[in-house]
Amino acid sequence: MAPWLLLKSPAILMFAAAFTLLAQDPAFADNSDLQQAEEFLAAGQAAEARALFEQALASDPDSIEAHLGLGRAYFELGRFAEAQLAFETVLHLEGLPPDLLTRVTAYNKAAREYLEEGKRLTFFGYAETGIGGYKTNSTRATSSGDQDSTFFNARAGGGFERRFDDGYAMDGNVDYRFRYHDESGVRNDSDLRWRVAGSRALGENNLAVGFRGRNSYRGDGIHRNDYFLFASYDIRLDESDQLSLGGEIGRRDYPSGPLEERTRSTADANLGWTHVLNDKATFSATGHIGRHFNTDRPDGESTFWGAMVDLDLVIRDNLSWYSFAWYESDRYNTDRLHYHPDEIDQEILRRDDNLYEIGTQVIWQFGEGWTFRPEILYIRDESNAFNFNYSSTEYWLNVRKAF
């Protein structure tokens, strides 16, 4: 049979038609783009891989492989800020430090394990220790409460994330912190924090619901236990912007001792925005509002609101800088007598507090998983009730090992 007649045979024509229909199927195109993108990524052609991962997401916005692959491509291109947003569409590795370089490095490791090794269960761990200083500033009428001490601190923890089909995942982590002061009369603190949650990736968005807690020793036999139910919803607007909606309700409990009356319930909501400034920098702003209630505090229940902004910058591939500023206004609902040591006539007032925190740190990576972290934190509590005015400055010089 002549070749040109063979090409016109019914079997060949049916095969060609079927192949054409298959090639036009979005799922087929998506798988083809993904496979080729992964090949480009393995060959070190991250720019070409990024374009194909974006095509795959256009065809299938729910593709976990495409989201993680896009994050990896951004990471290999040194575009860490975009990589973080791409990774956080599907990954929840809670308990990591807030700086961009540390977070995106951990995300990239988890994504690589999933894409190259098929691991649906990811673990991470860390240990940190160092020395620091704590000093109260001059905000009181007397100096009897002033402190200036050196402390030693240690921190260790880890977490996991388990991925399931259809974008579902489960994550959890624990974090233990301890601080020892070398000056008598200054309390030593220990703190255990934990979280467990379920989440689902919904295209470019992500929904998470879970529980978190904090069990603390505050010195002098004082313990504090926190338990909260929370929910969050991240909305990816584009490659440079993400909105975050969240809320929680729970209880802070002092089981016994002089602080027992501070036990209270809390409900709050927050709205956040993260913006990519350039390839290696992000800016975030978050506002929150809530209520402390069901309490025996002398000043009663309170309504609070505030905001936090932070700036994250990767200076070099092994050096980054993180800073933040936080403010909260706390308005109580009970009038009561407050004492002032320098006034004869005491005042009945309704307590109002304004709380401020400003912190900054540098993160230097000097080996595989090793970072040096100098940090400074300034705290200022302003109140119309004299005894609740407070200010301190703290610094840390810590070394951290990530596993």
Side-chain angles (χ1 to χ4, degrees), residues 1-17:
M1 181 182 294
W4 63 273
L5 291 175
L6 180 62
L7 293 175
K8 288 188 175 182
S9 69
I12 295 297
L13 291 175
M14 290 177 62
F15 176 79

Side-chain angles (χ1 to χ4, degrees), residues 231-250:
S232 64
Y233 187 56
D234 296 332
I235 305 170
R236 183 78 175 275
L237 302 178
D238 51 45
E239 67 177 11
S240 299
D241 295 278
Q242 178 174 280
L243 288 180
S244 298
L245 307 173
E248 63 180 12
I249 185 168

Side-chain angles (χ1 to χ4, degrees), residues 30-162:
D30 175 49
N31 289 334
S32 177
D33 287 340
L34 274 177
Q35 182 177 356
Q36 191 172 4
E38 291 169 1
E39 291 173 357
F40 277 135
L41 194 59
Q45 297 175 269
E48 292 82 356
R50 179 185 66 84
L52 287 176
F53 281 126
E54 289 176 341
Q55 288 183 28
L57 282 173
S59 300
D60 182 8
D62 292 323
S63 173
I64 301 301
E65 291 79 5
H67 283 295
L68 295 179
L70 181 59
R72 288 212 61 215
Y74 277 132
F75 183 86
E76 296 301 326
L77 290 168
R79 297 172 62 172
F80 300 131
E82 292 101 324
Q84 176 173 262
L85 291 189
F87 284 136
E88 290 184 344
T89 303
V90 295
L91 285 176
H92 287 278
L93 300 182
E94 299 298 327
L96 294 172
D99 65 281
L100 174 60
L101 185 60
T102 301
R103 297 181 69 85
V104 78
T105 300
Y107 290 148
N108 186 64
K109 175 179 178 291
R112 186 179 65 249
E113 290 177 349
Y114 182 85
L115 294 173
E116 296 180 0
E117 304 173 30
K119 289 185 178 180
R120 293 195 169 203
L121 181 60
T122 295
F123 292 97
F124 70 93
Y126 52 87
E128 183 173 335
T129 189
I131 190 172
Y134 170 85
K135 177 179 174 56
T136 55
N137 302 318
S138 299
T139 58
R140 305 171 188 264
T142 64
S143 61
S144 59
D146 289 351
Q147 298 176 1
D148 187 355
S149 65
T150 301
F151 61 81
F152 303 92
N153 70 95
R155 179 179 177 183
F160 75 93
E161 182 179 68
R162 175 65 166 89

Side-chain angles (χ1 to χ4, degrees), residues 4 14 30 61 138 209 249 297 363 378 384 394:
W4 63 273
M14 290 177 62
D30 175 49
S138 299
V209 179
I249 185 168
R297 294 183 302 182
I363 302 93
Y378 172 77
N384 61 343
E394 303 180 24

Side-chain angles (χ1 to χ4, degrees), residues 164-318:
F164 303 97
D165 294 333
D166 300 322
Y168 288 97
M170 179 179 181
D171 71 270
N173 74 281
V174 292
D175 179 269
Y176 177 75
R177 310 177 187 189
F178 176 76
R179 186 158 77 173
Y180 170 79
H181 288 264
D182 68 349
E183 181 178 330
S184 61
V186 181
R187 75 184 191 194
N188 301 317
D189 297 338
S190 63
D191 204 71
L192 177 66
R193 308 182 188 195
W194 55 269
R195 163 194 156 113
V196 61
S199 62
R200 188 183 183 190
L202 302 166
E204 297 291 328
N205 308 326
N206 192 286
L207 173 67
V209 179
F211 295 92
R212 69 171 184 86
R214 179 175 175 179
N215 307 101
S216 306
Y217 176 69
R218 317 302 293 172
D220 299 325
I222 298 173
H223 296 267
R224 190 186 84 188
N225 303 314
D226 295 358
Y227 305 98
F228 282 85
L229 168 67
F230 70 88
S232 64
Y233 187 56
D234 296 332
I235 305 170
R236 183 78 175 275
L237 302 178
D238 51 45
E239 67 177 11
S240 299
D241 295 278
Q242 178 174 280
L243 288 180
S244 298
L245 307 173
E248 63 180 12
I249 185 168
R251 186 76 170 164
R252 171 165 291 181
D253 179 45
Y254 292 87
S256 61
L259 302 183
E260 186 175 359
E261 64 184 13
R262 296 187 186 181
T263 296
R264 60 187 181 269
S265 298
T266 298
D268 73 88
N270 59 77
L271 172 63
W273 169 57
T274 299
H275 176 66
V276 173
L277 296 176
N278 57 43
D279 293 347
K280 294 180 172 63
T282 62
F283 171 81
S284 298
T286 303
H288 66 275
I289 185 170
R291 179 80 175 174
H292 298 303
F293 59 98
N294 191 17
T295 181
D296 293 325
R297 294 183 302 182
D299 292 299
E301 299 181 352
S302 63
T303 299
F304 61 89
W305 62 88
M308 175 176 172
V309 295
D310 61 62
L311 181 62
D312 213 334
L313 172 64
V314 178
I315 302 170
R316 295 199 305 264
D317 288 353
N318 68 337

